[in-house]
Amino acid sequence: MLCSRQSHCIYKILTCKTAHIFISVRVCVFILSAAPAVFYPFGLAAGDTEHVETGGESYYSVGLSTPFKFFGRTYNQIYVNYNGLLTFNVPSTSGPYSPTRGAEDFIAALWNDFDDYYNGVFSYQQYTNGSVLTRATQDINQYFSQVNINAAWVFVVTWRYALQPDPAILFQVVLISGSGQSYFLMNYGDCAVLYGQLEAGYDTINSTSYFVIPDSTNGNYQNLKNTSNVNVPGRWAFNAWAAPAIFYLFGSAAGDTEYSLTSDEGYVPVSFSIPYTFFGNTYNSLYVHFNGLLTFNQPQPASGPNYNPTRGAEDFIAALWSDLDDYYSCFFSYQQYTNGSVLTRATHDINQYFPQMNFTASWVFVVTWKYGPQQNPAILLQVVLISGGDLSFFLMNYGDCATISEQMEAGYDTINSIYHFVIPDSTNGNYQNLKNTTNVNVPGRWAFIAGNESVTTTTTTTVSTTTTAQPWTAPAIFYPFGSAARDAERLISGDEAYESVALSTPYTFFGRTYNSLYVHYNGLITFNQPQPASGPYYYVTRGAEDFIAPLWSDLDDMGWMGKYWYQQYTSGSVLTRATQDINWYFPQMNFTASWVFVVTWDFVATSDVNSFIHHSAQAITFQGVLISGGNLSFFLIHYGDCAIIYDQVEAGYDTINSIHHFVIPGSNVGYSIPNLKNTSNVNVPGRWAFMGGSENVVGLQMRLQSFSDLTKKEDIETVLQQIKQELVNHGESSNFELKLRKFKKTQS
């Protein structure tokens, strides 16, 4: 039993008859009084660390033995403030006492400036085993009946003020975590008269989650010991779980329409207040499925995906499509918005991820799925549909994802699979990592444009003078191409077409010599056979054939006007330029180009020839240059303006059995494609240069004085630098670094 001292004084009068002297004696009897039963053990008797109040808004920083998750943010330390406040990211000051400021995460046990007019003490202790954990487990499972927690860590902090002899003010906070969940309790005893504003409750950064105990701010604070939200006088209990910050507000707090699973493979039709365009098809309603799927033209009775990423039977968005409703209790909620802060947030998000579009959201639809316990969902996912003007977008947000025992898929598909995408980690067994994946550099979020992305608007203005629009010109790194260079020209017509080109001079590609190649409409060059696939399979190395992928994607199906041109050279200024370029990037090789093949692709988001010529709409332009001379072969890849690609994409090269392969960093993420014109491996923005012949295997013989030479760091660096120089002399770019992994002494 926790005790404090109470004193009762008895006065007894003793009379001396002879001297008439009266003596007054006070006898003090100390009676121990207990803290309320809701309090966890505290003080020196419990083994706490104690600190006496010294004034001046002091605080103590406490390192946590176990990280504590507080409404979506995880902390390894906490600040215990004398003024009745617990803060996580920074220590507190005395005020102001506005209930929700949104500047930081905090728990206000009883936030007041009483440290300026009461003496006091606070004490704290962390527990990772014993009876305190047993008690915390029982308490949380009692107050939150739908969860099953085993407390693994408890932090108890208690404040006592006016200690002569009993605390006139007594309160306590208990942090509890375990089983991936976090909770906290607030316990109240007596509360003396306080001066100034005060508050009890909690707040979070941006006030996404906050609560103020009513009696703490209405003048009735002395009644806190009789208040509760769990039917235990003096105790308040809270779940510290919150959805990640990327999630739009959802659930009853947002005013959503809510559904719990009532039938197997169920769904709910939802009518739109404003039509939504999804990749060219406009819809007035959709179907929200319990199994993590949104469909537009019809409901989908299948419990899970047919495990073919592109079916083409209908338009759908798969937030996380699996037979989830057979394994977890399911709950989803949704709401449409046509005004307010949600539209403001959506506008900000879309303009951040799709700059220069000057987008304003006029309609937002938010749907959120929760599986498992509602207080701490085991699986949490959300889709946000956004539209405004002629543009449509959608976001996919991911939180925690528990074990799923069925096949699954996340992404989208359209009728005839003209547009489709599968989030890689959703199908490769790494689905629990979805909360860390992204295509817009925001962990857990994927963003896509869904409507009219290839429609351009032409405005005609009549003026009194006549001007001639200048044709578009390619970046200076590009070799000559097009009709001016007298290239062979092809209009791209779709259907994964290609053209076989006989080479006037054989070309050696990593050990194999070819007399022809295939130029594909979809940005690919193959040697041993054409490649019927519309785009890469998302494998970095397939190993089935030799190819160069300047920019391999389903470009010919985008609906844009596109052309490619090619030409071979065996003399003239192009060979001179190629010779200079290769000798610059691969010095000391004394290379002379004798043959060059240039192929250039150009796509523009228009059907108008004039707009195509002038690049007056979004464009994707890139080039491959094959160069050979003597026994050496090289190739260059050039990038101009490249719009975002909403499909699988890859740039680089691969060989049979993938003995040699390379993927240009960022080229397999569609939203990074616009940056290709700024990337390089030879310090020339937009240009990548590679040696393509078999003479890039270098042997190096060196004499070492002793085995100990390679035990000294300076000797190791000398050896590595000599090796690097030899590699550069034999054609490698100098933009690499060598590190010694292992050395071994052998018998001579």
Side-chain angles (χ1 to χ4, degrees):
M1 181 71 69
L2 293 171
C3 299
S4 61
R5 298 189 304 171
Q6 289 186 346
S7 62
H8 295 271
C9 296
I10 302 172
Y11 290 85
K12 187 173 183 179
I13 299 175
L14 302 177
T15 304
C16 178
K17 292 183 178 180
T18 57
H20 299 285
I21 297 175
F22 293 88
I23 300 173
S24 176
V25 179
R26 184 177 70 175
V27 179
C28 292
V29 180
F30 291 95
I31 302 174
L32 296 177
S33 80
V38 295
F39 276 66
Y40 279 49
F42 66 87
L44 293 176
D48 283 6
T49 300
E50 283 199 350
H51 293 284
V52 177
E53 189 274 319
T54 57
E57 323 308 342
S58 298
Y59 62 87
Y60 274 82
S61 173
V62 181
L64 304 182
S65 60
T66 299
F68 183 73
K69 181 175 270 189
F70 187 75
F71 292 100
R73 280 171 285 272
T74 301
Y75 294 99
N76 293 297
Q77 69 171 7
I78 196 168
Y79 298 92
V80 182
N81 298 265
Y82 283 122
N83 58 10
L85 190 66
L86 291 179
T87 56
F88 292 92
N89 34 330
V90 293
S92 82
T93 59
S94 57
Y97 303 103
S98 169
T100 55
R101 284 154 297 286
E104 60 182 298
D105 290 337
F106 69 73
I107 299 172
L110 193 60
W111 187 9
N112 181 261
D113 247 348
F114 36 56
D115 54 340
D116 285 348
Y117 42 86
Y118 285 112
N119 64 336
V121 62
F122 71 78
S123 63
Y124 59 83
Q125 187 173 174
Q126 302 180 64
Y127 300 85
T128 56
N129 56 57
S131 60
V132 170
L133 267 67
T134 303
R135 178 176 178 180
T137 297
Q138 293 171 344
D139 285 343
I140 298 305
N141 286 317
Q142 176 185 346
Y143 306 141
F144 302 90
S145 58
Q146 293 184 338
V147 305
N148 184 17
I149 182 177
N150 285 306
W153 175 84
V154 174
F155 177 76
V156 181
V157 57
T158 310
W159 290 262
R160 291 170 284 163
Y161 286 91
L163 301 176
Q164 287 105 14
D166 281 335
I169 304 169
L170 177 66
F171 52 93
Q172 182 182 76
V173 170
V174 183
L175 308 183
I176 302 167
S177 69
S179 305
Q181 305 170 46
S182 300
Y183 300 85
F184 59 98
L185 309 177
M186 300 166 71
N187 299 324
Y188 294 96
D190 289 330
C191 187
V193 174
L194 297 175
Y195 304 95
Q197 294 172 300
L198 61 142
E199 177 188 310
Y202 63 85
D203 191 20
T204 57
I205 294 173
N206 296 322
S207 294
T208 51
S209 300
Y210 63 88
F211 182 79
V212 177
I213 297 176
D215 277 354
S216 70
T217 56
N218 64 5
N220 201 24
Y221 57 88
Q222 291 183 299
N223 188 51
L224 284 173
K225 65 182 180 181
N226 299 313
T227 65
S228 178
N229 66 340
V230 289
N231 203 31
V232 178
R235 171 165 289 173
W236 290 74
F238 301 96
N239 185 347
W241 178 87
I246 58 170
F247 275 65
Y248 280 50
L249 191 61
F250 65 88
S252 57
D256 283 4
T257 300
E258 298 178 329
Y259 287 92
S260 58
L261 180 63
T262 56
S263 62
D264 195 26
E265 327 310 346
Y267 60 87
V268 174
V270 181
S271 296
F272 291 154
S273 59
I274 293 178
Y276 179 75
T277 299
F278 186 74
F279 293 102
N281 295 319
T282 300
Y283 294 99
N284 293 298
S285 64
L286 56 61
Y287 301 89
V288 182
H289 296 70
F290 284 112
N291 59 7
L293 186 68
L294 294 179
T295 59
F296 291 93
N297 40 323
Q298 61 186 357
Q300 170 55 258
S303 59
N306 302 325
Y307 313 117
N308 175 355
T310 56
R311 284 155 296 286
E314 61 182 299
D315 289 338
F316 70 74
I317 299 172
L320 191 60
W321 186 11
S322 186
D323 210 357
L324 299 167
D325 49 350
D326 284 351
Y327 295 89
Y328 294 95
S329 57
C330 177
F331 174 98
F332 72 75
S333 64
Y334 64 83
Q335 187 173 175
Q336 301 180 64
Y337 300 86
T338 55
N339 56 57
S341 61
V342 171
L343 266 69
T344 303
R345 178 177 180 180
T347 298
H348 175 269
D349 286 343
I350 296 306
N351 285 311
Q352 177 183 348
Y353 308 140
F354 303 90
Q356 301 178 347
M357 298 197 74
N358 195 28
F359 175 76
T360 301
S362 59
W363 176 84
V364 174
F365 176 79
V366 181
V367 56
T368 310
W369 291 263
K370 296 194 292 181
Y371 299 88
Q374 294 309 305
Q375 289 91 347
N376 292 275
I379 301 172
L380 180 67
L381 46 131
Q382 182 180 77
V383 170
V384 183
L385 308 183
I386 303 168
S387 68
D390 293 324
L391 296 171
S392 300
F393 304 85
F394 60 98
L395 310 178
M396 299 167 73
N397 299 325
Y398 295 95
D400 288 331
C401 187
T403 301
I404 298 174
S405 303
E406 297 276 348
Q407 291 174 298
M408 72 202 70
E409 176 187 309
Y412 63 84
D413 193 19
T414 57
I415 295 172
N416 297 322
S417 292
I418 295 174
Y419 300 96
H420 57 86
F421 181 79
V422 177
I423 296 177
D425 276 354
S426 70
T427 56
N428 64 6
N430 201 26
Y431 58 89
Q432 291 183 300
N433 189 51
L434 284 172
K435 65 182 179 181
N436 300 314
T437 65
T438 182
N439 64 342
V440 289
N441 204 31
V442 179
R445 171 166 288 174
W446 291 74
F448 303 95
I449 188 168
N452 293 350
E453 71 275 15
S454 61
V455 176
T456 59
T457 302
T458 303
T459 302
T460 303
T461 303
T462 302
V463 293
S464 57
T465 59
T466 301
T467 60
T468 302
Q470 296 300 314
W472 167 83
T473 56
I477 58 171
F478 275 60
Y479 279 47
F481 70 91
S483 56
R486 298 185 178 181
D487 283 0
E489 180 178 304
R490 301 291 183 266
L491 179 66
I492 293 174
S493 57
D495 299 325
E496 326 312 340
Y498 59 87
E499 180 174 354
S500 175
V501 180
L503 304 182
S504 60
T505 299
Y507 181 75
T508 300
F509 187 73
F510 292 102
R512 279 171 290 276
T513 301
Y514 294 99
N515 293 298
S516 64
L517 53 73
Y518 301 89
V519 179
H520 295 70
Y521 289 166
N522 59 9
L524 186 68
I525 299 170
T526 59
F527 293 94
N528 42 321
Q529 60 186 358
Q531 169 56 256
S534 59
Y537 307 132
Y538 278 114
Y539 295 5
V540 176
T541 56
R542 282 153 294 282
E545 60 182 299
D546 290 337
F547 69 75
I548 300 171
L551 196 61
W552 185 12
S553 188
D554 209 358
L555 300 169
D556 50 347
D557 285 344
M558 291 174 59
W560 295 16
M561 179 175 285
K563 290 184 179 182
Y564 72 79
W565 302 263
Y566 66 86
Q567 186 174 173
Q568 301 180 62
Y569 299 85
T570 55
S571 63
S573 61
V574 170
L575 267 68
T576 302
R577 180 175 177 179
T579 298
Q580 293 172 343
D581 284 342
I582 297 306
N583 284 312
W584 180 259
Y585 306 136
F586 302 91
Q588 301 180 6
M589 298 197 71
N590 195 26
F591 174 76
T592 301
S594 59
W595 174 85
V596 174
F597 176 79
V598 181
V599 57
T600 310
W601 290 262
D602 192 26
F603 298 84
V604 180
T606 184
S607 58
D608 177 68
V609 174
N610 190 56
S611 296
F612 178 85
I613 293 171
H614 296 89
H615 271 219
S616 56
Q618 295 182 85
I620 300 173
T621 309
F622 53 95
Q623 182 181 76
V625 181
L626 280 58
I627 304 168
S628 69
N631 294 320
L632 297 172
S633 300
F634 303 86
F635 59 97
L636 310 176
I637 302 177
H638 299 146
Y639 297 100
D641 288 331
C642 288
I644 293 172
I645 295 177
Y646 304 98
D647 208 334
Q648 295 171 314
V649 61
E650 177 186 305
Y653 63 84
D654 194 18
T655 58
I656 294 173
N657 298 322
S658 293
I659 296 173
H660 302 279
H661 59 86
F662 181 77
V663 176
I664 294 176
S667 71
N668 52 5
V669 179
Y671 292 87
S672 298
I673 296 304
N675 190 51
L676 284 175
K677 67 180 180 182
N678 302 314
T679 66
S680 177
N681 66 340
V682 290
N683 204 31
V684 178
R687 171 171 286 174
W688 289 76
F690 303 96
M691 187 173 186
S694 60
E695 288 76 17
N696 59 345
V697 178
V698 179
L700 177 66
Q701 182 177 5
M702 300 187 65
R703 180 182 296 275
L704 301 178
Q705 295 299 317
S706 70
F707 178 72
S708 63
D709 287 355
L710 285 181
T711 64
K712 299 177 182 179
K713 182 177 180 181
E714 58 269 26
D715 292 339
I716 292 173
E717 291 300 320
T718 299
V719 171
L720 293 179
Q721 286 303 314
Q722 292 183 54
I723 294 173
K724 179 176 181 178
Q725 187 58 52
E726 286 297 316
L727 292 172
V728 171
N729 292 344
H730 285 77
E732 289 292 331
S733 165
S734 61
N735 295 323
F736 67 90
E737 179 179 336
L738 292 176
K739 292 185 178 180
L740 181 65
R741 291 182 55 195
K742 180 180 179 181
F743 66 88
K744 181 180 179 182
K745 182 179 181 181
T746 59
Q747 298 296 325
S748 59

